[in-house]
């Protein structure tokens, strides 16, 4: 009897050893995940790399469109968690304001238009993400586009919690000269940086990111915010990259090359993280700040609409999370709603903070992302800017004209050339052979209703069939409209600042 028990014990021991070894080899990351939680110890805060692409469209990455060459991004996305319903505002400044604050743009006062030559700024009354992370012991760096104001020095990155800033203040500029109009806009911390040597910005930003990583002390948690200039217009890329797409029209080929250059830069950043030993406790998030703009080469096929519209094509972002150790379900896709404002509390929670403002619009999605917990968001406000849109469950209500511009992929009435078509006559933008393509009319009624579960491409306005649902969503929309604050006051650059021909902060300090 005793012998049998011993034999059983040996068998169990051997078996569990085998399982452990198997785990170690094949489920290394799961083991790590559970070990940390079983140990009851709070894990060390992860290094957070937050990469934001500018105006990257839904069909501008290889996992949505096989014509695109984005092997580095695809590898990260497919081995991480793809967020299939991640929403952003329809253009730059509102999305970036939400990312930095955890609030919807209409509660910040940045819901309309974009910040132009620093004529408006993210109000100082908001706590911003880098400051919060810095307070938790993070080293904090921004490399790339700020676009949240500079009228006062206090509005600029190194006064808002970033240890360093390497990049530009405005919304767009030349990729080589780093000028917007006559104005040079490239900075290192609080100084103008004149040493860009006309280098292509994607690679300047890559080199700076790699330097930060190489110099970083791995025992300190790192927050690197990397908002690339790519792939916003103007359309510029070294010819090597556009040549990869010579079968496409010139605009699209250049744009696609810009995407591939960015993909290469992301690959280099990830290699640097590996080499520096930062990749085992790493949370990497990649997000586009709004949909693509066909006249600038970006496509959102098969989604309807483009940048600046409240259609899904303007607001449903390419987004994934990558981590070797922090995700219970890797190589998977989440269809839960995510909103740009959610990243603020989500990053803080991932960093171990218990102190998240419950009144904010962003919700903490960390358990949803890392542990596959039950969804925490059932409602999402697209934007409130006169026209407005809200999603509640599977229903989307659009108030007013969601935006109508050439290329928004409404049903095509007069298609010239050959192309793939959906059942009701939409075409894949790569296949448009002619600028003469005509597009349909916007919603004529005051409200449109779509069921995004059955109709993710927003082809069928069902507002007349479901007046009760329309009423319910109007109620929710008004709840949010009531919370809106006015657009922040304009503080345009003074003439003596404009004459400097250098984007220089501080005219409000005078
Ligand atoms: C992502 O969303 C689309 C709807 O736009 C859906 O068809 C697709 O199945 C989703 N992907 C996954 C992997 O669930
Ligand atoms: C960069 O150029 C600007 C404008 O020409 C000049 O005012 C500034 O002193 C230069 N800064 C550095 C750090 O060289
Ligand atoms: C919005 O505010 C108005 C005026 O204060 C009020 O009459 C209305 O009931 C509010 N609506 C909602 C949905 O909260
Ligand atoms: Ca943008």
């Amino acid at each position: 009897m005793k012998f049998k028990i011993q034999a059983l014990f040996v068998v169990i021991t051997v078996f569990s050893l085998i399982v452990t070894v198997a785990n170690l080899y094949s489920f290394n990351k799961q083991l790590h995940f559970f070990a940390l939680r079983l140990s009851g110890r709070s894990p060390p805060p992860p290094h957070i790399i937050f990469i934001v692409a500018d105006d990257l469209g839904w069909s501008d990455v290889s996992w949505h469109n096989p014509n695109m060459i984005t092997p580095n991004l695809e590898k990260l996305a497919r081995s991480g968690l793809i967020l299939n319903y991640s929403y952003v505002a329809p253009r730059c400044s509102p999305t970036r304001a939400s990312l930095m604050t955890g609030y919807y743009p209409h509660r910040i006062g940045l819901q309309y238009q974009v910040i132009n030559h620093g004529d408006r700024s993210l109000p100082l009354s908001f706590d911003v993400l880098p400051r919060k992370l810095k307070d938790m012991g993070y080293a904090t760096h921004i490399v790339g586009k700020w676009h949240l104001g500079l009228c006062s020095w206090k509005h600029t990155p190194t006064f808002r919690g970033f240890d360093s800033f390497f990049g530009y203040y405005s919304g767009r500029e030349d990729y080589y000269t780093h000028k917007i109009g006559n104005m040079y806009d490239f900075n290192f911390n609080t100084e103008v940086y004149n040493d860009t040597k006309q280098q292509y910005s994607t690679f300047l930003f890559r080199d700076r990111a790699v330097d930060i990583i190489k110099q970083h002390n791995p025992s300190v948690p790192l927050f690197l915010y990397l908002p690339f200039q790519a792939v916003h217009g103007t359309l510029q890329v070294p010819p090597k990259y556009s040549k990869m797409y010579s079968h496409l029209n010139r605009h699209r080929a250049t744009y696609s090359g810009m995407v591939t250059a960015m993909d290469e830069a992301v690959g280099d950043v990830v290699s640097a993280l590996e080499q520096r030993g930062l990749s085992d406790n790493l949370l990497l998030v990649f997000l586009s700040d709004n949909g693509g703009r066909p006249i600038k080469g970006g496509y959102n096929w098969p989604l309807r609409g483009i940048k600046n519209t409240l259609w899904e094509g303007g607001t449903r972002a390419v987004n994934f999370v990558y981590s070797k150790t922090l995700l219970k379900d890797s190589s998977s896709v989440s269809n839960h709603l995510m909103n740009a404002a959610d990243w603020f509390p989500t990053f803080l929670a991932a960093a171990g903070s218990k102190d998240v403002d419950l009144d904010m619009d962003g919700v903490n999605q960390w358990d949803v992302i890392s542990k596959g917990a039950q969804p925490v968001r059932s409602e999402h406000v697209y934007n409130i800017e006169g026209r407005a849109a809200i999603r509640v469950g599977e229903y989307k209500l659009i108030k007013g004209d969601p935006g109508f511009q050439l290329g928004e992929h409404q049903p095509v009435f007069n298609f010239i050339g050959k192309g793939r078509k959906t059942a009701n006559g939409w075409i894949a933008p790569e296949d448009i052979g002619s600028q003469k393509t005509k597009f349909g009319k916007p919603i004529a009624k005051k409200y449109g209703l779509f069921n995004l579960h059955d109709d993710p491409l927003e082809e069928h306005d069902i507002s007349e069939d479901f007046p009760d649902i329309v009423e319910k969503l109007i109620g929710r929309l008004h709840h949010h409209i009531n919370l809106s604050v006015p657009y922040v006051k304009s503080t345009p650059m003074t003439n003596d600042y404009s004459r400097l021909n250098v984007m220089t902060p501080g005219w409000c300090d005078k």
Side-chain angles (χ1 to χ4, degrees):
M1 183 65 183
K2 200 175 169 201
F3 174 76
K4 271 188 187 164
I5 288 171
Q6 273 175 354
L8 191 64
F9 183 75
V10 168
V11 168
I12 288 171
T13 308
V14 168
F15 180 73
S16 51
L17 262 175
I18 290 170
V19 169
T20 308
V21 168
N23 273 345
L24 274 175
Y25 282 101
S26 355
F27 302 109
N28 179 324
K29 83 184 144 218
Q30 305 249 345
L31 200 73
H32 183 90
F33 178 88
F34 287 114
L36 275 176
R37 268 140 198 92
L38 284 177
S39 72
R41 231 166 1 101
S42 48
H47 305 295
I48 299 173
I49 312 293
F50 188 20
I51 305 175
V52 175
D54 202 349
D55 292 11
L56 179 73
W58 181 259
S59 61
D60 297 339
V61 289
S62 50
W63 58 100
H64 290 161
N65 175 358
N67 288 342
M68 296 302 300
I69 304 167
T70 57
N72 294 294
L73 289 167
E74 176 153 358
K75 191 172 150 210
L76 296 169
R78 291 216 188 272
S79 55
L81 179 68
I82 293 175
L83 301 177
N84 197 27
Y85 274 103
S86 176
Y87 287 106
V88 291
R91 65 188 83 83
C92 309
S93 304
T95 293
R96 287 153 202 268
S98 282
L99 297 177
M100 288 296 115
T101 63
Y103 284 86
Y104 286 138
H106 67 272
R107 293 192 68 193
I108 304 167
L110 286 173
Q111 58 274 49
Y112 302 101
Q113 304 158 17
V114 289
I115 293 169
N116 189 12
H117 280 257
D119 64 345
R120 291 186 165 79
S121 300
L122 176 64
L124 297 172
S125 52
F126 286 89
D127 254 343
V128 291
L129 180 63
R131 167 81 59 212
K132 288 285 207 184
L133 289 169
K134 192 172 162 62
D135 289 347
M136 294 175 71
Y138 273 76
T140 55
H141 302 275
I142 169 172
V143 178
K145 165 169 163 173
W146 173 237
H147 209 191
L148 288 173
L150 67 151
C151 98
S152 155
W153 278 105
K154 288 192 200 117
H155 291 112
T156 64
T158 54
F159 289 80
R160 300 213 81 168
F162 283 109
D163 295 336
S164 82
F165 168 47
F166 184 80
Y168 59 112
Y169 290 117
S170 42
R172 63 186 160 81
E173 61 183 18
D174 188 284
Y175 279 77
Y176 294 98
T177 66
H178 312 292
K179 284 183 173 177
I180 173 166
N182 287 332
M183 207 168 270
Y184 184 73
D185 183 6
F186 209 100
N187 310 273
F188 191 9
N189 297 331
T190 55
E191 299 284 316
V192 177
Y193 183 76
N194 293 333
D195 207 20
T196 56
K197 302 195 178 78
Q198 306 256 327
Q199 249 200 86
Y200 189 60
S201 82
T202 300
F203 300 134
L204 273 172
F205 295 143
R206 171 201 57 196
D207 292 350
R208 168 66 184 159
V210 167
D211 276 352
I212 289 171
I213 291 162
K214 277 186 179 158
Q215 287 164 24
H216 185 72
N217 171 357
S219 66
V220 174
L222 169 66
F223 174 55
L224 171 59
Y225 175 45
L226 180 52
F228 279 108
Q229 179 175 1
V231 289
H232 195 289
T234 52
L235 292 175
Q236 293 173 299
V237 76
K240 175 183 157 193
Y241 297 95
S242 47
K243 278 187 188 139
M244 296 176 180
Y245 297 93
S246 50
H247 57 292
L248 301 177
N249 73 56
R250 198 168 49 85
H251 260 49
R252 180 66 178 163
T254 306
Y255 175 90
S256 302
M258 293 161 75
V259 177
T260 297
M262 177 177 67
D263 176 81
E264 194 179 294
V266 170
D268 294 341
V269 168
V270 171
S271 301
L273 290 163
E274 301 267 353
Q275 277 162 30
R276 190 64 185 150
L278 302 182
S279 58
D280 286 336
N281 189 24
L282 171 70
L283 172 62
L284 184 150
V285 174
F286 179 88
L287 173 71
S288 179
D289 74 332
N290 51 254
R293 251 185 112 185
I295 52 163
K296 298 284 180 188
Y299 292 153
N300 307 301
W301 169 267
L303 300 183
R304 183 173 185 174
I306 62 174
K307 176 181 179 178
N308 281 324
T309 74
L310 296 172
W311 297 115
E312 297 292 286
T315 56
R316 192 173 157 194
V318 171
N319 188 195
F320 67 79
V321 179
Y322 167 81
S323 177
K324 281 187 198 171
T325 48
L326 303 169
L327 304 179
K328 181 168 162 278
D329 302 315
S330 49
S331 304
S332 57
V333 177
S334 164
N335 282 310
H336 301 319
L337 297 193
M338 180 88 195
N339 178 281
D342 297 345
W343 288 110
F344 182 106
T346 300
F347 282 139
L348 292 184
S353 172
K354 303 275 178 282
D355 163 36
V356 175
D357 178 1
L358 295 176
D359 177 50
M360 65 173 35
D361 300 314
V363 291
N364 170 6
Q365 299 253 18
W366 183 233
D367 283 354
V368 179
I369 288 171
S370 64
K371 297 181 195 163
Q374 286 304 302
V376 289
R377 176 180 280 284
S378 58
E379 185 178 282
H380 150 69
V381 178
Y382 288 78
N383 204 15
I384 293 172
E385 43 172 325
R387 63 180 182 173
I390 188 170
R391 176 172 175 171
V392 180
E394 63 208 45
Y395 291 103
K396 173 176 182 177
L397 180 84
I398 299 176
K399 174 175 183 271
D401 181 356
F404 174 64
Q405 294 186 36
L406 183 70
E408 70 162 276
H409 316 155
Q410 301 233 3
V412 174
F413 296 128
N414 196 7
F415 172 57
I416 299 164
K418 285 183 186 163
R420 287 172 283 152
K421 292 187 186 184
T422 64
N424 75 349
W426 298 17
I427 54 164
E430 284 102 322
D431 301 334
I432 297 176
S434 161
Q435 296 292 329
K436 290 179 192 155
T437 314
K438 286 185 187 158
F439 297 87
K441 291 260 166 20
I443 299 177
K445 289 180 275 104
K446 200 166 174 216
Y447 291 102
L449 182 73
F450 297 87
N451 181 325
L452 293 176
H453 182 265
D454 301 338
D455 179 23
L457 308 184
E458 302 169 285
E459 295 173 284
H460 310 290
D461 178 0
I462 53 172
S463 55
E464 273 166 13
D465 308 328
F466 298 97
D468 49 330
I469 297 174
V470 170
E471 279 311 308
K472 187 176 150 235
L473 266 66
I474 290 174
R476 283 310 297 165
L477 185 59
H478 281 176
H479 164 82
H480 290 283
I481 290 173
N482 272 7
L483 297 173
S484 290
V485 300
Y487 195 34
V488 295
K489 212 170 108 255
S490 171
T491 50
M493 189 180 281
T494 54
N495 284 340
D496 48 328
Y497 271 74
S498 308
R499 274 194 294 271
L500 293 175
N501 281 343
V502 179
M503 194 67 75
T504 310
W507 59 91
C508 290
D509 298 329
K510 287 273 162 10

